[in-house]
Amino acid sequence: MKHQVTVREFARLTTEVVTEPTLDRAQISVSAFNWLCGSRTRLASNGADLLHFDDRRSLRLDNYVGVLETPCGTRIEILPKVHDRPGAEAASRRLLRRMIAVALDIKPRDAGTSDLDSFNAPLSEWVIAKFLAELRYVVKRGLRFDYRSVDENSAFLRGRLDVPRQMRQPLGRQHRFEIRHDIFGADRAENRLLRRALDQAATATQSPENWRLAQELRFFLQEVPQSTSVNADFRLWRGDRLMAHYRGVRPWCELILHRQMPYSLVGVWHGISMLLPMERLFERYVTSYLERITDARVTFRRQAASEFLCVHEGERMFRLQPDVLLETADRRWVLDMKWKQLDSSDRGNKYGISQADLYQLFAYGVKYLGPEGGELVLIYPKSA
């Protein structure tokens, strides 16, 4: 039986008895705790410091958000740490969904903002529901078919005779034909990925509505094999005019198959497990929003990388890469995003602004603004 735990960034997970669980402290089973300890080692080798040990019975999360599902059935939902008022769980969940949708440039087809806010399911069920809705739209519009070349040994002549292979036939099989022909079917990269994501979603969902819709859609994709190489098939995904109705389902398919997640547990456990660095998600969210509202006369550059901190023996070193660079004919703005909570009442601690962040921004300004000058901006999440 699956067990749902909802916490937020930097929360403490423990095997000790917690009588009143909160978003900052929750109890998990011993099996889930041991699995997380093993996952920490695997992810740390990839540069993801997901967990920190407090003691032998406690772990502390880092600034990653998303969903983790353990083999024992524990599903851990990790929300952003931005709200402290009553109803923080629902507000944080709505914020995370909105940030994911904007960062991945997902345009909901069936609902507006109010509907997204009222959908109060855990993050994983929300992702599955959106994927199934987009897949249903694709099925209604019609799956794309394509020709696939097939080589086979047949009793009948069909298509083209493969003469070199036919000449190598053993004596007892010269009545058979080595042929090559084309089959017009749904076995193509996009449909294979959708079938794999559908099977994974149908297995992972705990929602009766999602499960019922997944079984209906499985009927339409039953002749399509699962993708055996996700990355290779995503490279083959076509974006031409004939595939326009597939565009809406692709981001959700990528979420479920972990391709968008920088750190996922593919190959370790096949549940719905997705982890996003909150700092990177915030950066993509703000950048995407700024790009939409920027005046057409302003040149918008993401991750500008033309300047370096110094030159040593003719070689430029230490690339300077601000999140956003805005340019007009006579002015520049350098913008950098930081996922940190400021405290307007803490004047003695400089409101929580990091000195290193200001040094970094100053270096950006020296190199990118030049003698003409301009504006330097640090962008933080809004809080109380």
Side-chain angles (χ1 to χ4, degrees):
M1 182 175 177
K2 293 185 180 296
H3 174 58
Q4 175 79 29
V5 175
T6 299
V7 291
R8 59 186 180 180
E9 299 171 86
F10 308 109
R12 188 182 181 207
L13 301 176
T14 179
T15 57
E16 299 172 350
V17 176
V18 179
T19 55
E20 296 183 4
T22 65
L23 290 177
D24 294 314
R25 189 169 184 265
Q27 180 183 352
I28 58 175
S29 65
V30 175
S31 58
F33 182 87
N34 293 335
W35 183 82
L36 285 173
C37 292
S39 299
R40 179 187 183 275
T41 304
R42 286 186 288 269
L43 289 172
S45 63
N46 293 327
D49 204 1
L50 170 64
L51 303 164
H52 303 280
F53 289 105
D54 271 3
D55 53 53
R56 294 178 61 184
R57 303 181 65 180
S58 299
L59 290 168
R60 191 172 297 278
L61 298 171
D62 210 294
N63 64 330
Y64 290 84
V65 294
V67 180
L68 282 171
E69 185 173 332
T70 70
C72 67
T74 300
R75 183 175 291 176
I76 304 171
E77 182 184 25
I78 309 171
L79 301 174
K81 186 175 182 178
V82 69
H83 297 291
D84 287 318
R85 61 179 183 271
E89 179 180 331
S92 297
R93 188 176 288 143
R94 287 195 298 267
L95 173 66
L96 181 56
R97 292 175 186 155
R98 187 165 65 248
M99 292 177 75
I100 291 175
V102 172
L104 300 182
D105 197 24
I106 296 170
K107 300 177 179 60
R109 181 187 315 285
D110 57 341
T113 305
S114 60
D115 182 76
L116 287 175
D117 288 350
S118 65
F119 190 79
N120 197 33
L123 177 64
S124 56
E125 294 294 349
W126 176 73
V127 171
I128 291 172
K130 292 299 177 183
F131 165 72
L132 294 176
E134 290 291 350
L135 180 56
R136 179 170 58 182
Y137 174 78
V138 169
V139 169
K140 285 182 177 179
R141 289 290 304 272
L143 293 174
R144 293 300 304 172
F145 283 52
D146 204 355
Y147 286 101
R148 178 171 58 91
S149 182
V150 176
D151 295 331
E152 66 175 324
N153 185 282
S154 173
F156 306 98
L157 187 60
R158 175 187 179 189
R160 303 181 298 277
L161 181 67
D162 192 330
V163 176
R165 288 173 55 207
Q166 182 70 27
M167 293 177 65
R168 292 194 295 269
Q169 283 270 63
L171 292 177
R173 293 180 59 85
Q174 290 184 343
H175 62 289
R176 306 278 298 183
F177 298 99
E178 292 288 347
I179 60 174
R180 176 173 296 171
H181 61 97
D182 294 330
I183 295 179
F184 189 64
D187 184 7
R188 54 183 295 162
E190 299 88 350
N191 295 335
R192 291 194 296 268
L193 289 168
L194 295 179
R195 173 61 191 274
R196 178 163 176 167
L198 175 61
D199 288 346
Q200 189 165 327
T203 304
T205 185
Q206 298 180 54
S207 164
E209 293 79 10
N210 286 345
W211 184 87
R212 191 179 305 112
L213 179 55
Q215 302 311 315
E216 293 176 5
L217 294 173
R218 270 178 157 176
F219 173 78
F220 294 100
L221 275 75
Q222 59 183 338
E223 296 183 1
V224 180
Q226 278 199 18
S227 173
T228 57
S229 179
V230 172
N231 290 334
D233 279 344
F234 269 117
R235 286 193 292 269
L236 295 174
W237 189 298
R238 289 166 53 186
D240 54 41
R241 181 176 56 85
L242 296 177
M243 299 294 295
H245 63 295
Y246 274 70
R247 291 172 188 164
V249 75
R250 176 168 179 166
W252 302 108
C253 184
E254 290 177 334
L255 278 173
I256 291 178
L257 296 181
H258 313 284
R259 190 170 181 270
Q260 281 286 347
M261 302 305 111
Y263 307 110
S264 58
L265 305 182
V266 177
V268 180
W269 171 244
H270 297 289
I272 298 293
S273 296
M274 332 177 214
L275 300 174
L276 303 94
M278 195 60 214
E279 192 167 312
R280 193 180 307 175
L281 180 61
F282 178 64
E283 172 195 315
R284 292 187 62 176
Y285 171 73
V286 176
T287 302
S288 298
Y289 181 77
L290 287 174
E291 194 167 17
R292 294 178 186 179
I293 66 172
T294 300
D295 191 284
R297 295 168 296 180
V298 179
T299 302
F300 189 101
R301 292 170 59 191
R302 292 178 180 235
Q303 298 290 325
S306 59
E307 299 292 339
F308 292 76
L309 190 61
C310 62
V311 178
H312 176 65
E313 296 181 352
E315 181 181 353
R316 296 187 297 177
M317 300 175 66
F318 307 111
R319 185 190 303 274
L320 297 173
Q321 198 164 339
D323 293 331
V324 173
L325 178 64
L326 302 177
E327 296 178 276
T328 62
D330 56 356
R331 196 154 184 81
R332 283 187 174 188
W333 294 262
V334 173
L335 289 72
D336 211 44
M337 294 77 175
K338 301 296 180 186
W339 179 254
K340 298 176 182 178
Q341 286 193 353
L342 301 185
D343 185 354
S344 60
S345 63
D346 191 5
R347 172 64 186 271
N349 195 34
K350 305 177 182 67
Y351 311 113
I353 298 174
S354 167
Q355 184 166 303
D357 292 342
L358 288 182
Y359 283 171
Q360 181 186 44
L361 192 65
F362 179 75
Y364 291 158
V366 169
K367 291 295 183 177
Y368 281 95
L369 299 184
E372 296 83 7
E375 297 289 338
L376 297 173
V377 182
L378 276 178
I379 300 177
Y380 293 90
K382 181 181 178 181
S383 64

